[in-house]
Amino acid sequence: MDIMLDLEQLKAAQSGLTASISEFDDASDTNDDLEDAVGRPDGRSALLDQVIDFEVAWRDKRGKLKENLENINKQLTSIVDGWDEWDTSTAQDLEGSTTTTAVNSTRAS
């Protein structure tokens, strides 16, 4: 069984997830800025009410989506970290094996 992992792609995906999570964290502030920018043109609040309604409807969905992204990011981090640890450990084991073989070969000569 061969395992093929493109660690660079996994790390890029991890970086993208982290950026997305950050955007979701900032979304509420962005909406507040939008509400301030819309204001009450000509003393009417119809457009502002639409912006507020959208934020209320989106807030719960955004929270759930952010939670899912965080869970995916945790799993991806676990895969990347586990693979890095395995790779480092295996490389050290192989390097130790090569060093031992080289020393034993030298002694035998």
Side-chain angles (χ1 to χ4, degrees):
M1 174 184 207
D2 292 337
I3 299 175
M4 301 288 288
L5 288 179
D6 187 334
L7 202 53
E8 291 308 310
Q9 271 191 325
L10 291 176
K11 288 179 180 181
Q14 190 178 23
S15 177
L17 281 170
T18 300
S20 296
I21 291 166
S22 178
E23 287 295 322
F24 279 102
D25 284 337
D26 296 341
S28 182
D29 292 338
T30 302
N31 193 70
D32 290 344
D33 293 343
L34 178 61
E35 289 175 18
D36 291 342
V38 168
R40 298 181 191 285
D42 296 326
R44 295 181 293 172
S45 65
L47 182 56
L48 180 59
D49 291 343
Q50 291 294 319
V51 171
I52 291 170
D53 289 346
F54 175 81
E55 169 58 15
V56 169
W58 175 229
R59 185 182 309 134
D60 290 338
K61 291 178 177 95
R62 185 176 63 235
K64 246 190 189 340
L65 184 55
K66 180 183 168 225
E67 183 180 323
N68 289 338
L69 290 175
E70 288 171 335
N71 288 334
I72 292 168
N73 198 30
K74 283 180 192 174
Q75 293 297 320
L76 187 55
T77 298
S78 177
I79 291 168
V80 169
D81 290 349
W83 187 260
D84 276 340
E85 183 180 311
W86 176 84
D87 189 44
T88 300
S89 174
T90 302
Q92 288 172 347
D93 289 347
L94 288 174
E95 188 175 287
S97 173
T98 303
T99 304
T100 303
T101 303
V103 170
N104 288 337
S105 294
T106 304
R107 288 184 184 160
S109 300

